[in-house]
Amino acid sequence: MITTLSGDTSRLRATVDFVKEQDTATLLRLLLPGLDGPELRALAERCGFSHAALLVFPPDEAALDATLADCGLVADAPPRPSVIVRERLAVRHKRSAAELDVGILRPAVVCRDGARRWVEVFTLTVPPASDLDTVAAYERERQHEAHVAFEVETPDPLVLRGLCAAFGRYGAVPDGGGYNPHENGTVFYFTAPADAKAGYRRVELYVPGDHRDVLAAHLDEHRARQPAETLLRLLTGAWTTQALAAFVRLDVADAMDGNAMDGKRAVGVAELARDVGASAPNLATLLRYLAMLGVVSEDRDGFRLTDTGTLLRADAEGSMRALALMYGGPFYESFAGLDHTVRTGQVAFEQRFGENHFDHFARDPELAELFDRSMAAGSRMFDPLPAHPVLTVAAAEGATVVDIAGGNGELLGRILSAHPRLHGVLLERPHTVETARRLLGAAGHTERCAFRAGDFADVPAGADVYVLSRVLHDWDDDRCREILRHCARAMTDTADLLVVERVLPADGSASLATAWDLHMMCNVGGRERRADHYARLFADAGLTLVDRTPLPLDGSVLHVRRTRLADTGSKV
């Protein structure tokens, strides 16, 4: 142990000396040969050399303190848990992350240029006679976690993308990264080009805050260079669905006492297991997996819900709990028959349950309620809809809005709340109408809202605005034309129709609409469509697509009116 500890001390002392000697521009030039002139100055203005890092292996806390003192370093805080390095070690050595006690210390160093920088010390505790000795020996030899880091001065998405692109132009290759909720920071790792002269091959861009949206593209590029890992991650997607569904079925989210953003306490696994009636070791395994996904966060006191995880609580605003139960339940079962749908053109849901999903849900009140709540769970898509110009103008005139197949009234309720002068009509199946009547009544809209039980053939005539929200994607083209003709017959020449759907991108870019296209095919027999496809369906029904406005969650609202003889085209 004396030999290994002295080895850690000498490595740490060399790291301290390196940090003291470097400055941002010099180090960037060494790491990225060829970088010079205006581009070097631009990078140096946007990211500053902040620290060099290494991984040490003390047997205990006292030994770590002695090593730091030998190198003239003073830690001003206890080690914080490391999420990213712990996961990297777990994958590299095929270990459970739970058995790797990895912490982070950042003692300060005053450099020769007068700047104050840090040495980032990752610590993996390796007690005497531990089976982690082999891990320590391997990591000391290969130095996988040793790196130099630059902190981004302005954490703007455009700046981050520009910095990543600049590193790539000079030969740096994406090498992973992650978000650490314990310190609310995002890291982007790169491998420096082979001709780098800094003595370090790994480079980190550190950005304060949560920038997982930009990080996703960086990680995708990293995984594209490792096809086996990419495929393995894709193949485990079903595990994620069921982990989220199990988390909800066990009511773990509701049992957890808030989240760190609210300043509430973490909850220990034993206490949670008691509350939900689960096996504590198995619950801990589930929670660690969900921590990797960002649904919960872990610290020394237990687990907290993140903002993402909070959406799985039953009482959360915009709760997506019902979606987790639906996607982890009936729709999960039916997706096992996706190959049957692709091969035969028949709907997998109908093969699995013996009937279409509307009839299946209608016969089971609990399942029907769950489906209606799952539809309402995507309500963030609706947030900007009440401000659509069509509704704003209609509200000024005290007009009437008809929500066709409006589910439990979530969308109509939002519209009526935003515009107190509007009147509403909700058309739905009989059992759903009663649910909507209760919910809209509780919101105080009963006097301004009428309820009509019926089908698409019962669209009431003479209203000012009609809404079809996430309806057409349930049906094939022939049925869509029929529905739209019912709408056209009910509409006056001055009436407006707002169609809310996810529209397939024309350029093949990534979109939730592409995923939902597969879902609709497998479970409903419907499909998502491109804007020009919708325009043709509208035209076949005597309607014209006037305009299209984007909504959250890759949604769109398509503004449609009756076709007049003078109409010559539409905006798609």
Side-chain angles (χ1 to χ4, degrees):
M1 183 60 68
I2 294 175
T3 301
T4 56
L5 280 176
S6 63
D8 282 349
T9 301
S10 63
R11 290 166 53 235
L12 184 55
R13 189 173 290 122
T15 303
V16 172
D17 291 342
F18 180 89
V19 171
K20 288 181 177 179
E21 292 168 1
Q22 298 299 325
D23 63 79
T24 299
T26 301
L27 185 54
L28 280 171
R29 192 182 292 113
L30 291 172
L31 288 166
L32 304 174
L35 176 64
D36 209 344
E39 193 160 18
L40 172 61
R41 290 193 295 274
L43 258 66
E45 288 172 359
R46 289 169 173 78
C47 63
F49 173 45
S50 64
H51 66 261
L54 81 163
L55 174 60
V56 298
F57 307 91
D60 52 41
E61 188 174 341
L64 173 62
D65 291 342
T67 299
L68 294 173
D70 284 346
C71 298
L73 299 175
V74 177
D76 58 0
R80 285 192 296 270
S82 165
V83 174
I84 299 163
V85 171
R86 183 183 66 175
E87 294 297 335
R88 286 170 60 90
L89 290 173
V91 171
R92 198 151 55 233
H93 296 279
K94 298 179 175 60
R95 300 269 186 154
S96 165
E99 65 180 300
L100 302 175
D101 181 16
V102 183
I104 308 173
L105 289 167
R106 289 199 180 93
V109 174
V110 178
C111 304
R112 291 192 172 88
D113 63 1
R116 182 181 174 88
R117 299 190 178 96
W118 290 264
V119 174
E120 185 170 68
V121 184
F122 295 109
T123 68
L124 172 60
T125 303
V126 181
S130 166
D131 66 349
L132 293 175
D133 278 335
T134 56
V135 174
Y138 178 94
E139 294 296 330
R140 281 194 182 100
E141 178 183 351
R142 288 166 176 79
Q143 298 291 308
H144 284 301
E145 300 307 325
H147 66 262
V148 291
F150 297 83
E151 184 164 345
V152 178
E153 304 293 341
T154 306
D156 174 88
L158 289 176
V159 171
L160 296 184
R161 292 187 180 96
L163 287 169
C164 290
F167 272 60
R169 281 196 299 276
Y170 287 91
V173 176
D175 186 28
Y179 170 68
N180 188 342
H182 301 295
E183 59 183 37
N184 190 28
T186 309
V187 297
F188 298 73
Y189 284 127
F190 296 85
T191 299
D195 56 348
K197 299 177 178 62
Y200 286 84
R201 290 297 310 282
R202 292 190 72 230
V203 185
E204 171 192 313
L205 282 179
Y206 176 83
V207 193
D210 186 347
H211 301 278
R212 279 177 280 187
D213 50 347
V214 180
L215 178 66
H218 179 80
L219 295 179
D220 285 345
E221 188 174 348
H222 168 58
R223 289 167 187 156
R225 300 172 184 272
Q226 304 175 57
E229 180 184 342
T230 298
L231 184 58
L232 190 59
R233 289 177 182 275
L234 293 173
L235 288 170
T236 61
W239 303 354
T240 297
T241 303
Q242 284 304 326
L244 293 168
F247 187 65
V248 168
R249 291 190 197 105
L250 292 167
D251 293 322
V252 183
D254 294 290
M256 296 179 77
D257 187 16
N259 56 58
M261 298 297 291
D262 292 331
K264 296 184 179 179
R265 66 184 181 91
V267 187
V269 172
E271 179 182 347
L272 273 177
R274 239 183 359 259
D275 290 344
V276 303
S279 158
N282 291 357
L283 180 59
T285 299
L286 173 63
L287 289 170
R288 284 194 297 270
Y289 181 82
L290 294 174
M292 182 178 71
L293 300 177
V295 176
V296 299
S297 63
E298 181 183 8
D299 58 30
R300 295 181 185 277
D301 298 319
F303 291 88
R304 290 181 171 89
L305 286 173
T306 63
D307 287 347
T308 299
T310 299
L311 292 174
L312 295 173
R313 293 182 64 141
D315 60 355
E317 183 178 354
S319 172
M320 300 179 78
R321 184 179 189 276
L323 275 178
L325 293 172
M326 187 63 68
Y327 292 163
F331 289 147
Y332 187 88
E333 292 183 46
S334 60
F335 251 108
L338 177 60
D339 59 329
H340 173 80
T341 295
V342 173
R343 185 172 56 250
T344 67
Q346 298 169 2
V347 179
F349 189 100
E350 295 175 9
Q351 182 200 36
R352 169 65 183 83
F353 294 103
E355 57 189 338
N356 73 63
H357 91 288
F358 292 113
D359 292 339
H360 184 72
F361 294 158
R363 288 195 306 100
D364 183 335
E366 290 186 8
L367 196 54
E369 183 183 358
L370 177 63
F371 176 70
D372 287 337
R373 282 191 282 114
S374 72
M375 290 293 289
S379 61
R380 195 171 78 83
M381 182 190 289
F382 302 150
D383 286 348
L385 189 61
H388 192 282
V390 164
L391 292 170
T392 303
V393 171
E397 300 170 355
T400 297
V401 177
V402 178
D403 193 354
I404 303 165
N408 65 6
E410 167 73 23
L411 175 55
L412 185 58
R414 285 170 172 253
I415 293 171
L416 295 178
S417 293
H419 302 294
R421 294 185 61 192
L422 279 179
H423 296 272
V425 178
L426 187 131
L427 174 67
E428 251 296 358
R429 296 155 293 166
H431 71 277
T432 304
V433 161
E434 294 310 311
T435 301
R437 191 191 303 274
R438 289 196 303 273
L439 293 176
L440 289 170
H445 299 316
T446 305
E447 292 184 1
R448 291 192 291 134
C449 191
F451 300 89
R452 180 172 295 194
D455 203 344
F456 296 113
D458 302 307
V459 176
D464 303 283
V465 181
Y466 294 83
V467 177
L468 270 177
S469 176
R470 296 180 298 178
V471 170
L472 296 181
H473 73 166
D474 288 334
W475 307 100
D476 62 24
D477 283 0
D478 287 342
R479 181 60 165 150
C480 283
R481 292 187 187 95
E482 182 183 347
I483 293 168
L484 290 168
R485 286 179 181 127
H486 287 309
C487 295
R489 280 194 291 270
M491 294 168 63
T492 66
D493 288 342
T494 59
D496 297 283
L497 171 64
L498 299 180
V499 175
V500 178
E501 295 288 356
R502 288 190 172 97
V503 177
L504 288 171
D507 60 0
S509 57
S511 170
L512 287 172
T514 306
W516 256 257
D517 196 24
L518 189 72
H519 167 69
M520 301 308 295
M521 178 185 75
C522 182
N523 286 291
V524 184
R527 60 182 298 182
E528 308 295 348
R529 298 168 171 88
R530 293 188 356 176
D532 57 351
H533 192 157
Y534 276 117
R536 291 194 296 272
L537 293 177
F538 297 145
D540 291 344
L543 299 165
T544 297
L545 176 57
V546 177
D547 203 355
R548 172 186 170 190
T549 306
L551 294 173
L553 302 178
D554 285 345
S556 290
V557 55
L558 307 173
H559 177 199
V560 181
R561 304 198 81 176
R562 287 186 64 174
T563 302
R564 299 172 297 175
L565 292 178
D567 286 338
T568 58
S570 61
K571 300 177 183 178
V572 297

